[in-house]
């Protein structure tokens, strides 16, 4: 799957969910992310600030997380897109072996969601997992996300997010 096909796939799933198409900067963020570019490099290509590019990126990751039912971020975009589209993504001059698979866009099948009424999930309380989620919460706060947005993005109860103190 080349970058054009990746962008088309993402555009189609976003359109199926929202009725809106992804814009040029969102396309650039996806393509740049797959090429392991930094937000600052993507921002230069689109003549905007790094901060604006990060904001658009985080909103895009949040939207894709909602669509795919798993947390999408810059580090895991490629593997998530490959898994969601059942295709191999190749962004270079290497030959590509595409696996023809099914792309399910706009499924009416509900995604099972955990019970958010529990104040602290057992896996959140465990040592390393707790530290990882705490780091994610702190990082998202650094980018200006509210506790409510973080809870939704990480699929955690709001009360759990509020229990984590900001280190930055």
């Amino acid at each position: 799957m080349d970058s054009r096909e990746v962008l088309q796939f993402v555009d189609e799933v976003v359109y199926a969910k929202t009725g809106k198409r992804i814009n040029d900067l969102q396309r650039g963020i996806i393509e740049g992310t797959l090429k392991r570019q930094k937000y600052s490099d993507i921002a230069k290509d689109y003549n905007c600030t790094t901060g604006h590019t990060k904001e658009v990126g985080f909103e895009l990751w949040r939207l894709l997380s909602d669509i795919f039912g798993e947390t999408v971020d810059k580090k895991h975009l490629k593997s998530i897109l490959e898994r969601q589209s059942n295709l191999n993504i190749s962004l270079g001059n290497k030959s590509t072996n595409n696996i023809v698979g099914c792309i399910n866009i706009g499924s009416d099948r509900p995604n099972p969601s955990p019970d958010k009424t529990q104040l602290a999930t057992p896996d959140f309380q465990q040592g390393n997992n707790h530290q990882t989620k705490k780091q994610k919460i702190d990082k998202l706060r650094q980018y200006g996300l509210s506790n409510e947005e973080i809870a939704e993005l990480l699929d955690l109860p709001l009360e759990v997010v509020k229990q984590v103190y900001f280190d930055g």
Side-chain angles (χ1 to χ4, degrees):
M1 188 177 225
D2 65 20
S3 62
R4 184 184 55 78
E5 293 170 315
V6 169
L7 294 172
Q8 182 178 353
F9 169 72
V10 173
D11 189 50
E12 287 175 7
V13 297
V14 169
Y15 183 75
K17 177 74 174 185
T18 68
K20 296 179 184 177
R21 299 288 183 182
I22 59 174
N23 63 37
D24 289 343
L25 181 55
Q26 290 170 322
R27 288 175 172 276
I29 290 168
I30 292 167
E31 194 167 20
T33 296
L34 293 172
K35 292 178 181 177
R36 304 228 183 265
Q37 287 182 312
K38 295 180 180 182
Y39 281 120
S40 59
D41 297 327
I42 297 168
K44 287 178 189 174
D45 291 343
Y46 287 84
N47 198 27
C48 58
T49 66
T50 301
H52 177 68
T53 304
K54 285 181 180 180
E55 288 173 15
V56 170
F58 286 110
E59 286 298 321
L60 179 61
W61 306 147
R62 196 167 106 185
L63 174 62
L64 293 176
S65 295
D66 180 48
I67 290 170
F68 295 140
E70 62 181 307
T71 302
V72 177
D73 59 22
K74 201 169 189 267
K75 291 180 183 177
H76 302 101
L77 178 65
K78 182 178 177 183
S79 62
I80 290 168
L81 289 175
E82 285 179 338
R83 192 168 43 256
Q84 291 293 329
S85 66
N86 293 325
L87 295 169
N88 287 334
I89 298 172
S90 176
L91 300 172
N93 295 330
K94 299 176 185 175
S95 63
T96 177
N97 294 322
N98 287 343
I99 301 169
V100 178
C102 297
I103 300 175
N104 185 3
I105 299 173
S107 171
D108 289 330
R109 188 177 67 204
N111 289 334
S113 58
D115 181 8
K116 291 186 181 184
T117 59
Q118 296 175 337
L119 285 180
T121 58
D123 66 336
F124 189 75
Q125 293 173 337
Q126 293 174 355
N128 289 341
N129 197 15
H130 172 75
Q131 188 63 27
T132 301
K133 288 193 180 187
K134 182 183 179 309
Q135 290 170 344
K136 285 181 183 179
I137 291 169
D138 286 343
K139 185 80 164 180
L140 291 170
R141 282 185 178 142
Q142 289 175 1
Y143 291 113
L145 271 69
S146 69
N147 285 340
E148 291 79 8
E149 292 169 323
I150 294 169
E152 181 180 331
L153 183 66
L154 297 178
D155 200 26
L156 292 172
L158 179 58
E159 292 80 8
V160 171
V161 174
K162 287 180 178 179
Q163 291 173 0
V164 177
Y165 295 101
F166 182 57
D167 288 340

